[in-house]
Amino acid sequence: MKRLSLSLAIAAIAGFATVANAAMADGGAKFLGNITTGGQIRSDFAQYWNQITPENGCKWGSIHSLSNGNSGTSKFAWDNFDKCESAYKWAKEKPGERHFKFHALVWGSQYPNFLCKKKNPGITVELTKQYITEWFDAVAAKFPDLEYIDVVNEAIWAGNNYHSGYGKPAAGAEGHSTDDTECGGSYIIEALGGDRVVNGKHQYDFITTAFKMARERWPKAVLIYNDYNTLSWQINEGIELIQTIVKNGAPVDAYGQQAHDCKGMSKNDFESKMTRIHNETGLPLLVSEYDIGEADDTKQKNDYANQIPFMWETPWVAGITIWGYINGSTWVANTGLIEKDGRKRASMNWLEEYFANNLSKGKNDVTFTPIEPEPQLPFKGEPIAIPGKVEAEDFDIPGKGVNEDGTSNQSYSDDSENHGDSDYRKDTGVDLYKKATGVIVGYNSEGDWLEWTVNVGDAGDYTMFAAVAAAGSTSSFQLSLDGKALTDVIAVPAAKEGEENYDDYNKVKANVTLPAGKHILRMDVTGAWFDVDYFTFVKGKDATDPEPIENPGQETSIGKNLELTNNKLQDYYVFDMQGVRMGVLSAYGFDAAKEILQNSGAVKTSGVYYLRSRSTGKMQSVRITK
């Protein structure tokens, strides 16, 4: 962007001193933006700001209504795009110098009344899905070249609800009043694929779906997840949400920090929190709705001076949007920077002085060029032949990016830590252990999955045999082929003897029908805590297993029992009943580990807990009474 002089040329326009030059951040490394005022773009807007976000003009509820209120039709009335479009056109007047952000596609507030369960008794999950799709398509038709998009807004699960309600009646998010109680909530979450809870953690499937839908329509846009209280009360929940949706394949480009929660936050506190969020999510941050609600001019200015320089001078902060600048016309009192009579508050004077003297300090090494997709590849170079054996540990090499249809090129989903004791593929996060016939995939938690590229020689009926081991009776998995279910959920039998025995391998089987050619075979873990060695596919229905396991759990079985010596200090992971890892302790054998856990003050609640050896993968339960 061309750098222009910040010298002042004073002219009296509508009672304001107008600067006949570019915005404060014009020519800098990133944008400094603001929002519309009462839906309008003020005549002095371009004097200060080079990015615009319509405060309410692009929200679904502001734009969209059903013709005649008929709940059974998808004939929409598109007559309220004016305020959104005017901001878009303002940015387009100077491409590359001005920037526009669409706010927002999916939000649990300010959506149309026809989505409300109470106001529209005829609404269903399927109709909601249809309407959401048509909404995305209408926005894409109107604005095909959007630069920045808040794809999903305010969906962190905190307490007993999402930040902005979504499917549940709730109080207004972000201080906005909502009609959720009268509305009765919506089917937005269900329509976008739901929200599984795995081991007590929300998977936010509906967010992943929304991002995939957005990427299909805007392949070059910066796709943003946006939320509030993410620098204070829900910093952990926000980080976990981003980590989860990225792991599940959401093509999210940036994490929007509304930053309404920075009043009185010290310079060190602000910088350390921003840095932690960036480091733990791996994403660029956008400060998307910054304001300081402070009547005292000096206190407001001090917060600006403590926080704005870090935003401007940090290379992974991609841009700054202040949420309103005319005092008395912002959504929270005393957040404005200019009084209605034109007097500039101390914060506005500070901003002008800072950018006049520090424009060149702005840094931005964020590039939002979408990753060119690269397909996952067979681990050994060629697809695994069927009929034949699929070794679990030979899952595909992950690819990159997201395809045009929204599918991910990842080949597995697991936590980032390899808990196993094998050196085989140590660089992955999959838990590989030396046992059974060589190397197995263990530590399988609900929600984990693996994929293999296979080549089926002949179409027809096959019998699938899987070598698996579990200590309890709740473990299970399901196979699919190219995204379509291949089997029902298959239960993994518990060991026949021995507490928490993961060396007792058994065979499970299922009849399957396979098409010829190259395909992606996938295993989804539907019930936690089992080990899997391999899958064998034999031609024919109800075929004979070529490698039956005899005397499981004994020396002649698929693998020798591993002896756990008690004279060596070992690490044991501690889990609760939901499979959530609580920590790690060191002890000389399971008996000593149990005693330590039972006497530990770290466990506050009675119940059953689990110890798992970090070296062998064995597990044992511990009952604790408080």
Side-chain angles (χ1 to χ4, degrees), residues 417 419 433 443 564-565 568-575 583-590 593 611-618:
E417 183 179 357
H419 306 277
Y433 293 88
Y443 210 75
L564 188 62
T565 59
K568 181 181 178 183
L569 189 65
Q570 300 170 64
D571 290 335
Y572 297 88
Y573 291 115
V574 181
F575 298 90
V584 63
L585 60 84
S586 299
Y588 291 93
F590 270 109
L611 294 166
R612 181 161 189 161
S613 169
R614 189 171 184 177
S615 59
T616 68
K618 276 190 174 183

Side-chain angles (χ1 to χ4, degrees), residues 183-263:
C183 173
S186 72
Y187 292 114
I188 291 174
I189 290 176
E190 294 88 342
L192 290 172
D195 182 13
R196 293 171 297 135
V197 179
V198 177
N199 295 331
K201 297 183 182 296
H202 287 258
Q203 298 301 298
Y204 298 108
D205 305 270
F206 68 102
I207 299 179
T208 298
T209 301
F211 272 90
K212 288 180 178 179
M213 290 174 63
R215 180 60 79 216
E216 289 175 14
R217 291 160 176 81
W218 295 279
K220 296 181 180 179
V222 177
L223 304 184
I224 304 160
Y225 175 78
N226 191 55
D227 217 322
Y228 67 97
N229 284 356
T230 50
L231 285 162
S232 53
W233 299 279
Q234 275 83 55
I235 185 171
N236 294 330
E237 292 87 343
I239 290 170
E240 187 173 280
L241 181 151
I242 295 295
Q243 290 173 336
T244 299
I245 64 174
V246 169
K247 174 182 174 182
N248 291 340
V252 55
D253 296 312
Y255 183 12
Q257 309 295 299
Q258 292 187 13
H260 297 303
D261 50 347
C262 295
K263 178 181 175 180

Side-chain angles (χ1 to χ4, degrees), residues 418-435:
N418 187 335
H419 306 277
D421 59 0
S422 173
D423 292 330
Y424 194 75
R425 306 189 72 176
K426 195 71 174 177
D427 59 331
T428 74
V430 179
D431 309 301
L432 303 179
Y433 293 88
K434 296 182 292 186
K435 58 193 304 187

Side-chain angles (χ1 to χ4, degrees), residues 303-323:
D303 282 346
Y304 267 75
N306 282 333
Q307 297 162 13
I308 289 287
F310 183 79
M311 305 178 201
W312 183 248
E313 298 169 23
T314 299
W316 41 259
V317 177
I320 309 164
T321 303
I322 296 171
W323 207 248

Side-chain angles (χ1 to χ4, degrees), residues 65-82:
S65 61
L66 270 178
S67 298
N68 305 318
N70 184 350
S71 63
T73 177
S74 61
K75 181 177 173 56
F76 291 122
W78 300 98
D79 53 5
N80 295 313
F81 263 121
D82 292 353

